[in-house]
Amino acid sequence: MFSRFVGIMLPSSPLHALLMDVWGKPLVVTSGNLSGEPLCISVEEGLEKLGHVADVFLVHDRPVVRPVDDSVVRVTDGRAMMVRRARGYAPRPVWRTSAAAPDVLALGAGLKNTICWLKRGVAVMSQHLGDLSSAASLNAFERTVEALGRTLDAVPQVIAVDAHPDGPTFALGRRLARKWNATVVPVQHHQAHVLACAVENETPFPALGIAWDGTGFGTDGTVWGGEFFVLEEEGEPHRVARLRPFLLPGGDEAVREPSRCACSLARQMGPWRTEGLDKRLERGMPVRKREVLEAMMARNIHCPATSSMGRLFDAVAFWCGFDGEAGCEGHAAMMLESWAAEASGEKMRGEAYEWVMHEEEGLLELDWRPLMKSVDEDLLKGVSRSCIARKFHESLANLAFDVAERFCLDRLVLGGGCFQNAFLLEGLAGMAQSRKCQLALPQRVPCNDGGISLGQVAAVVRQWKG
């Protein structure tokens, strides 16, 4: 089982209701599309693309104007939090600012894409569009840009894009800017994450923005994902802290194989390295493969450096027993969350591993090596993986507040896919009062890349105000 949660939906149209009346039992449902492609919205398209997948088609004569996926909402700490914002929620205004602000079209990121139009100070987000990994997805993306623009009668003065120069929205933004004679503004991925949460919650400044996710292009050319920013009233979020960087042997292959992340961390352990760590790698990875990865890292061949919290989750999950490839995005992290909840009865208990903080390259660097040594020692003692997973989550919650205290800030703004972790969020919310801090949590806008477009709009407005 990937997750301790089950998603349930009620019939969303009369046709669905009639079908359920006839069937009389729950149905397992999925979207009508091939993996990596947009939804099929016509009978002809469905028969052509899904004819080899589906045995039977239930069709009707009402044309579908535009593809809108199912929304996904989860209750965490008593609050409804958006995971995927689509049917029933979009398009709907999500933020208001000065009507004198420039009209902005924000194109989001390459994964879990949404777009956001700002017209006369009102920000309207599209439905979830998915990953822009295929030509069909990009075509559907462009159609949504045009359709929502027509609905709002909007022409952008500024087009905001993800700062990754090889990302799909970067190139598309430049092309659309020529069409509309607009200015292109690149926005760093993790700055957009924390700004989206800040403007949704109308957070007073200064505040500490925490962006924990998988990977995103950093301004220093490395792959970010475990970042802390100071948010002031004006200007760009100022990066003040990060996880200690490590290598991703094979790049995206390390995302699919958590053992690669564990191998990279093991290489950096130095005096913290233990016998158990090597034994775990021997069990979970062929000797020859590990030798190849070690050689790649030694020569820095296809091994980008990262400060990703998501990849740290993957490595700890591997240490605790996750083997093989990830079956979906966040698979290893979801398993780690499930193990943590098993040990705690859904609550944290005040036991945590320790972090070491020190200055490095003008940033506060958060060193995970002592933590990983403690994880390994617990495994050697026979401590259960559930207990280790819980202590790891508690260490992350402590880390967030410790960094806030270090910079004398009592407001925390959370963004990034790691905060889809309900156990981590509930732990943070539970600690906030005792640590005398206020938490701004993503709610109406997803904390994952589905909220990036709103953060890009907010970044442009901050530049305009400045």
Side-chain angles (χ1 to χ4, degrees):
M1 182 179 68
F2 288 7
S3 172
R4 59 199 172 107
F5 297 102
V6 175
I8 298 175
M9 61 182 289
L10 297 176
S12 60
S13 73
L15 183 63
H16 292 151
L18 291 170
L19 177 63
M20 293 304 298
D21 285 343
V22 172
W23 187 250
K25 294 178 289 187
L27 289 172
V28 178
V29 296
T30 186
S31 302
N33 64 295
L34 296 175
S35 179
E37 293 199 3
L39 297 174
C40 299
I41 61 172
S42 70
V43 174
E44 295 76 20
E45 186 182 16
L47 291 171
E48 177 188 348
K49 293 193 172 183
L50 304 176
H52 66 289
V53 177
D55 298 318
V56 178
F57 285 82
L58 175 62
V59 301
H60 55 82
D61 58 359
R62 296 189 64 189
V64 177
V65 177
R66 60 180 58 90
V68 181
D69 222 318
D70 303 311
S71 292
V72 180
V73 179
R74 183 169 65 192
V75 176
T76 302
D77 190 41
R79 315 178 203 200
M81 301 186 67
M82 196 69 60
V83 176
R84 185 170 69 194
R85 187 176 182 276
R87 182 184 295 120
Y89 297 92
R92 185 183 294 175
V94 290
W95 179 51
R96 296 177 188 272
T97 185
S98 169
D103 289 349
V104 182
L105 167 61
L107 299 182
L111 302 178
K112 303 179 188 66
N113 182 268
T114 61
I115 63 167
C116 186
W117 280 92
L118 180 74
K119 181 172 182 189
R120 295 177 188 156
V122 179
V124 177
M125 284 179 65
S126 74
Q127 72 274 24
H128 168 86
L129 299 174
D131 300 349
L132 305 182
S133 56
S134 68
S137 298
L138 284 169
N139 289 337
F141 170 83
E142 290 196 54
R143 288 196 298 271
T144 302
V145 169
E146 294 171 1
L148 190 53
R150 284 197 305 271
T151 300
L152 299 174
D153 191 23
V155 176
Q157 298 165 272
V158 178
I159 295 179
V161 300
D162 190 87
H164 194 317
D166 295 326
T169 65
F170 196 92
L172 180 61
R174 291 164 64 186
R175 180 158 59 81
L176 292 176
R178 290 192 294 270
K179 171 184 173 182
W180 281 310
N181 193 27
T183 302
V184 176
V185 176
V187 180
Q188 200 281 322
H189 189 89
H190 300 96
Q191 292 181 358
H193 268 310
V194 295
L195 287 174
C197 181
V199 298
E200 179 199 341
N201 287 278
E202 299 182 353
T203 304
F205 300 114
L208 181 71
I210 305 177
W212 289 352
D213 70 354
T215 55
F217 185 79
T219 58
D220 59 1
T222 65
V223 180
W224 291 5
E227 318 308 316
F228 295 76
F229 300 90
V230 171
L231 302 174
E232 301 285 359
E233 195 67 44
E234 295 180 353
E236 286 189 358
H238 176 53
R239 185 177 179 232
V240 293
R242 68 176 182 193
L243 293 193
R244 175 185 171 88
F246 53 95
L247 300 180
L248 289 178
D252 286 344
E253 288 298 315
V255 178
R256 289 184 282 270
E257 298 179 24
S259 58
R260 291 177 180 247
C261 297
C263 186
S264 176
L265 266 58
R267 185 171 179 269
Q268 285 198 36
M269 289 292 285
W272 287 277
R273 192 158 183 155
T274 65
E275 179 186 358
L277 188 153
D278 288 314
K279 287 183 176 178
R280 174 67 185 112
L281 283 169
E282 287 172 8
R283 292 196 309 271
M285 177 181 291
V287 174
R288 178 57 185 157
K289 183 174 182 177
R290 185 176 174 189
E291 289 174 349
V292 170
L293 295 179
E294 292 281 2
M296 288 172 62
M297 290 187 285
R299 299 171 188 172
N300 198 24
I301 299 173
H302 195 30
C303 291
T306 187
S307 52
S308 168
M309 179 62 79
R311 303 291 77 82
L312 185 65
F313 264 94
D314 288 349
V316 175
F318 173 82
W319 246 259
C320 291
F322 183 92
D323 284 312
E325 294 189 9
C328 63
E329 185 183 7
H331 183 179
M334 284 190 282
M335 293 300 298
L336 198 65
E337 178 190 356
S338 294
W339 293 335
E342 287 173 6
S344 66
E346 305 294 327
K347 291 184 179 179
M348 294 186 177
R349 296 179 179 176
E351 301 175 28
Y353 297 119
E354 295 296 323
W355 293 80
V356 172
M357 302 184 188
H358 54 83
E359 296 290 330
E360 188 73 30
E361 300 178 4
L363 294 169
L364 180 65
E365 188 166 276
L366 313 169
D367 196 337
W368 39 260
R369 291 177 297 177
L371 179 148
M372 294 304 299
K373 180 176 185 290
S374 298
V375 168
D376 201 52
E377 288 173 344
D378 273 358
L379 285 169
L380 288 172
K381 293 175 188 173
V383 176
S384 72
R385 67 185 182 185
S386 296
C387 182
I388 291 169
R390 174 180 52 77
K391 290 169 70 174
F392 173 69
H393 280 77
E394 295 199 31
S395 75
L396 297 184
N398 282 336
L399 177 67
F401 293 112
D402 289 346
V403 174
E405 185 177 335
R406 182 76 169 250
F407 291 98
C408 303
L409 296 169
D410 61 1
R411 296 187 185 94
L412 279 66
V413 176
L414 310 181
C418 289
F419 292 114
Q420 291 178 152
N421 184 320
F423 186 74
L424 175 61
L425 272 186
E426 288 163 0
L428 285 163
M431 289 184 185
Q433 188 171 3
S434 62
R435 300 294 292 260
K436 297 185 171 67
C437 285
Q438 299 174 25
L439 283 183
L441 307 178
Q443 294 178 76
R444 292 178 295 117
V445 175
C447 65
N448 57 42
D449 284 8
I452 286 284
S453 60
L454 174 61
Q456 291 170 342
V457 165
V460 171
V461 171
R462 288 171 76 88
Q463 288 185 22
W464 168 74
K465 287 182 177 178

